[in-house]
């Protein structure tokens, strides 16, 4: 079966791409407005893309007539936090995708606990196991509804016991973050096996 993307409605392209590229990590992004309102919103067009600099890339989508709070806040302040949600937080994370007015932040509306960041102004979500504190490097605009945000992670905060302080290795102990699938579907990561890269065959 061949599906040619030329001439295909963008909503159908979105549906196909989200169904094909799974699982995806979720960036539960916190930002702060110039007026001091803390915003939290989930994005699954997200990943890390390098270590020097420590690159974070997020696909920001918004309505053509007005950017979302996340985009507007990052444009104004240049800072954001990528919180990595645990499976136990899926209800609050999905609830934060609802459209709230700009003067009412999701943490306040949903009772999400915040904690101060170390290197940036926006706070992190205290109950998330990991948070990457980020500063915007640049944004690439692709039409009125899509922007690629490229940021640099300047600090990582992790739940106590998650990272070995000597080796800096993670030990999730089976409690892995949320995996995004398609439509309203999410998944639990299980049965993970190690597969080290082998030496070339003779």
């Amino acid at each position: 079966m061949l599906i040619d993307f030329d001439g295909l409605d963008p909503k159908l392209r979105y549906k196909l791409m989200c169904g094909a590229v799974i699982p995806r990590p979720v960036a539960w992004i916190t930002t702060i407005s110039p007026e001091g309102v803390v915003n939290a919103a989930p994005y699954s067009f997200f990943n890390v893309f390098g270590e020097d600099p420590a690159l974070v890339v997020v696909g920001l989508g918004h309505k053509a007539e007005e950017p979302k709070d996340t985009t507007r806040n990052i444009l104004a302040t240049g800072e954001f936090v990528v919180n990595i949600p645990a499976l136990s937080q899926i209800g609050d994370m999905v609830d934060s995708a609802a459209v709230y007015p700009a003067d009412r932040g999701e943490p306040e509306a949903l009772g999400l606990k915040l904690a101060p960041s170390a290197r940036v102004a926006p706070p992190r979500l205290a109950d998330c196991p990991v948070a990457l504190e980020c500063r915007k490097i640049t944004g690439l605009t692709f039409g009125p509804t899509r922007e690629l945000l490229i940021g640099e992670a300047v600090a990582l905060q992790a739940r106590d016991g998650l990272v070995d302080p000597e080796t800096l290795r993670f030990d999730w102990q089976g409690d892995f973050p949320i995996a995004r699938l398609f439509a309203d579907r999410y998944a639990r990561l299980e049965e993970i096996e190690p597969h080290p890269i082998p030496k070339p065959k003779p």
Side-chain angles (χ1 to χ4, degrees), residues 31-49:
T31 57
I32 189 167
S33 73
E35 296 75 28
V37 178
V38 177
N39 175 264
Y43 291 86
S44 67
F45 282 179
F46 149 75
N47 219 311
V48 292
F49 283 83

Side-chain angles (χ1 to χ4, degrees), residues 51 92 104 135:
E51 73 289 342
D92 286 335
R104 189 181 186 212
R135 293 197 179 107

Side-chain angles (χ1 to χ4, degrees), residues 58-186:
V58 183
L60 299 175
H62 46 263
K63 295 179 180 178
E65 62 272 17
E66 184 179 5
K68 291 183 178 179
D69 293 338
T70 299
T71 303
R72 188 167 52 250
N73 292 347
I74 294 172
L75 184 63
T77 69
E79 297 182 334
F80 60 102
V81 178
V82 170
N83 302 274
I84 305 297
L87 192 64
S88 60
Q89 298 175 290
I90 191 167
D92 286 335
M93 186 204 72
V94 172
D95 287 347
S96 72
V99 180
Y100 288 89
D103 61 354
R104 189 181 186 212
E106 290 79 4
E108 177 190 357
L110 301 173
L112 304 176
K113 289 190 289 185
L114 299 173
S117 297
R119 299 281 307 279
V120 298
R124 59 190 174 90
L125 295 170
D127 291 334
C128 285
V130 178
L132 290 168
E133 302 179 13
C134 302
R135 293 197 179 107
K136 178 181 177 180
I137 296 175
T138 191
L140 304 175
T141 300
F142 298 90
T145 63
R146 179 60 59 185
E147 177 182 351
L148 283 186
L149 166 67
I150 302 175
E152 179 181 6
V154 295
L156 181 148
Q157 297 210 42
R159 182 179 61 212
D160 289 345
L162 192 59
V163 179
D164 186 299
E166 294 184 3
T167 65
L168 297 184
R169 291 179 178 169
F170 271 81
D171 183 1
W172 287 95
Q173 300 178 5
D175 187 19
F176 294 102
I178 296 169
R180 178 80 161 96
L181 299 179
F182 49 86
D184 59 356
R185 306 299 172 86
Y186 294 83

